[in-house]
Amino acid sequence: AQSVTQLDSHVSVSEGTPVLLRCNYSSSYSPSLFWYVQHPNKGLQLLLKYTSAATLVKGINGFEAEFKKSETSFHLTKPSAHMSDAAEYFCVVSEVGSNTGKLIFGQGTTLQVKP
Amino acid sequence: ETGVTQTPRHLVMGMTNKKSLKCEQHLGHNAMYWYKQSAKKPLELMFVYNFKEQTENNSVPSRFSPECPNSSHLFLHLHTLQPEDSALYLCASSPKIEDRGLYEQYFGPGTRLTVT
């Protein structure tokens, strides 16, 4: 069965400094992995996705993530944080091998950006 | 309108009321989903519809009743809810349900439900 663990529940960075949000997954198959962002009182927006093509995936708003099979990781990074990046981030793995379309969500990481 | 829309955005209801949440997707997708998001808890998948047919009911209490009249619309009918049902209810859609799980889901803004 697939699972996903976000290693930090809360990350705080200063504006202009790099962002690293960590995610580890468990999957018996080649997984599809996603990062979503949720701003307060809003729905979830897809940042980027990995579906077994290039291991370095570029997303919107300057975010990118690298799929590392040997480490079972899919960490999200951004070179320079902006105040508008403050939000909740979810690492998600798609349940492969079923026909339910089920997504398995991590617990979420709250990103705080200080001026 | 584009994307996935949900109405109402906020709803306050008593435990004896009956209300409905509406979701509409303008993306030409065939699969639609209801999720519950409670504070401090991961997103909970409630229902899945694929080509208007329900493919999953994730042990949801019968006081929640989904309806999918066509691939673009999804409803969640609510009756005799409990205070613990207060949460953000999110609707999502995807092109279809595909065995290898390649398709991401697109989410609406959610309905903030408060049960008093």
Side-chain angles (χ1 to χ4, degrees):
Chain A
Q2 289 82 24
S3 66
V4 61
T5 302
Q6 292 183 243
L7 300 172
D8 306 292
S9 59
H10 188 98
V11 170
S12 181
V13 301
S14 297
E15 188 176 21
T17 64
V19 175
L20 170 63
L21 305 182
R22 298 182 296 165
C23 173
N24 286 109
Y25 69 91
S26 172
S27 178
S28 302
Y29 304 91
S30 294
S32 293
L33 293 158
F34 312 87
W35 275 99
Y36 282 85
V37 61
Q38 185 178 30
H39 289 91
N41 298 312
K42 297 289 180 65
L44 278 71
Q45 181 184 18
L46 180 69
L47 278 178
L48 49 81
K49 67 175 182 178
Y50 166 78
T51 54
S52 73
T55 56
L56 182 61
V57 183
K58 294 188 183 299
I60 61 172
N61 302 333
F63 284 94
E64 61 182 39
E66 186 171 7
F67 173 74
K68 292 186 176 180
K69 186 175 182 179
S70 61
E71 299 177 10
T72 60
S73 69
F74 191 58
H75 301 333
L76 182 70
T77 60
K78 183 173 181 177
S80 177
H82 191 273
M83 294 297 293
S84 61
D85 294 328
E88 187 87 8
Y89 291 80
F90 294 94
C91 183
V92 182
V93 63
S94 182
E95 187 178 82
V96 178
S98 74
N99 62 356
T100 65
K102 186 180 291 185
L103 297 181
I104 299 166
F105 285 79
Q107 296 271 25
T109 298
T110 301
L111 177 63
Q112 179 187 21
V113 182
K114 297 178 288 187
Chain B
E1 293 201 57
T2 59
V4 181
T5 58
Q6 291 186 242
T7 54
R9 294 293 309 276
H10 301 271
L11 178 62
V12 179
M13 59 186 291
M15 289 190 284
T16 59
N17 292 158
K18 289 185 179 181
K19 296 286 184 183
S20 295
L21 309 185
K22 179 183 177 182
C23 174
E24 184 174 2
Q25 58 93 3
H26 310 268
L27 300 168
H29 291 168
N30 293 302
M32 297 188 77
Y33 311 78
W34 278 117
Y35 289 87
K36 177 183 179 182
Q37 187 178 32
S38 305
K40 310 292 185 186
K41 294 175 69 175
L43 253 70
E44 302 172 55
L45 178 65
M46 300 175 72
F47 301 104
V48 181
Y49 279 83
N50 192 38
F51 292 93
K52 304 187 299 177
E53 299 298 319
Q54 187 179 124
T55 58
E56 181 150 342
N57 175 338
N58 205 24
S59 302
V60 180
S62 59
R63 58 185 183 270
F64 295 91
S65 175
E67 179 189 1
C68 188
N70 54 62
S71 293
S72 298
H73 294 85
L74 185 64
F75 295 89
L76 188 62
H77 304 299
L78 316 172
H79 64 97
T80 59
L81 293 191
Q82 305 298 312
E84 60 265 28
D85 297 322
S86 298
L88 181 68
Y89 288 85
L90 292 163
C91 174
S93 72
S94 65
K96 61 179 180 178
I97 292 169
E98 200 269 342
D99 184 55
R100 294 185 56 214
L102 294 177
Y103 295 111
E104 66 272 25
Q105 294 176 17
Y106 295 83
F107 285 79
T111 295
R112 175 69 63 186
L113 174 67
T114 303
V115 181
T116 60

